[in-house]
Amino acid sequence: MDVRRRNNVVITGRPDGPVVMPAHGFGCDQNMWRLVVPALAERYRVVLFDHVGSGRSDLGSWDAERYADLNGYARDVLEICEELDLREVIFVGHSVSAMIGARAATRAPGLFSELVMVAPSPCYIDDPATGYRGGFTEADIEELLEALDSNYLGWSAAMAPVIMGNPERPELGQELTDSFCATDPAIARVFARTTFLSDTRAELPRLRVPTLILECERDPIAPREVGAHVHATIPDSTLVTLDATGHCPHLSAPEATADAILSFLGERGR
């Protein structure tokens, strides 16, 4: 298996710098990091990749059974690190990829030096029994998935601008819509279920990696109660609220996002 081709691995930045590994969210690809990468590349070796089924990954490597669980994506991350012989990796995960990074880190605790979670959510569904608020009821998620199943392109056109927020900048919503629509609907349906039905809450207390949590002031997918929960649950974590709205601050507020990441790493001598 050619892991580099499978995940469309692209390496940029300082060849001798610490390794930063950004990972994109549902319906996106590595291009979504393009506004943050230049700031990172001045100091770090940046290893970009596409999740299988997204972007320019090898679609022939996609397997519905493997990717019906976030652990399949976590395995890919670990295989990329093994293939490239990476050490002390700084993993930067957006949205669902924050939890993919958490799962990879609990399976290979010595591999990662820091985690950065951008707009993370360990569970999207409210859990009244524990008082956890993920932002959606079970019925909300089922309705969302049914709409996606029945008309993926229509769902993308309606939902992407909501997820992006910043209606005064419609070009951002259009970019996310285009990204969603470029994804194979059959693959997107599986990835959506994998994402929105996942529950990574039990993994978070097991993390032993210094973690930066970046949340937005208003996020329709990961409300601030979620950021507070993630911060309270991960033992060595820092929570920063960006002066940004929507679910994709690396697109809507790239300078603030990059500055927060660089500040966190700089304070740690990285």
Side-chain angles (χ1 to χ4, degrees), residues 27 32 156-157 160 171-183:
M32 293 294 180
S156 298
E171 68 278 6
L172 294 177
Q174 186 59 53
E175 176 172 348
L176 192 60
T177 299
D178 293 344
S179 181
F180 280 11
C181 291
T183 306

Side-chain angles (χ1 to χ4, degrees), residues 144 147-148 151-165 173-174 176-178 180-181:
L144 180 152
L148 187 151
N151 182 2
Y152 176 65
L153 296 181
W155 178 89
S156 298
M159 283 299 298
V162 174
I163 293 170
M164 176 61 71
Q174 186 59 53
L176 192 60
T177 299
D178 293 344
F180 280 11
C181 291

Side-chain angles (χ1 to χ4, degrees), residues 21-25 28-40 46 48-49 92-95 97 116-118 175 214 249-251 254 257 261:
M21 191 177 193
H24 64 83
C28 301
D29 61 19
Q30 63 183 262
N31 186 56
M32 293 294 180
W33 290 106
R34 70 187 184 280
L35 302 179
V36 173
V37 165
L40 299 177
V46 183
L48 295 154
F49 70 98
V92 183
H94 171 238
S95 193
S97 278
V116 178
M117 299 182 170
V118 182
E175 176 172 348
L214 296 180
H250 50 320
L251 284 176
T257 302
I261 295 172

Side-chain angles (χ1 to χ4, degrees), residues 132-155:
Y132 173 81
R133 182 173 181 267
F136 299 88
T137 66
E138 190 171 349
D140 289 336
I141 294 297
E142 284 302 324
E143 182 179 345
L144 180 152
L145 294 174
E146 287 174 6
L148 187 151
D149 287 344
S150 62
N151 182 2
Y152 176 65
L153 296 181
W155 178 89

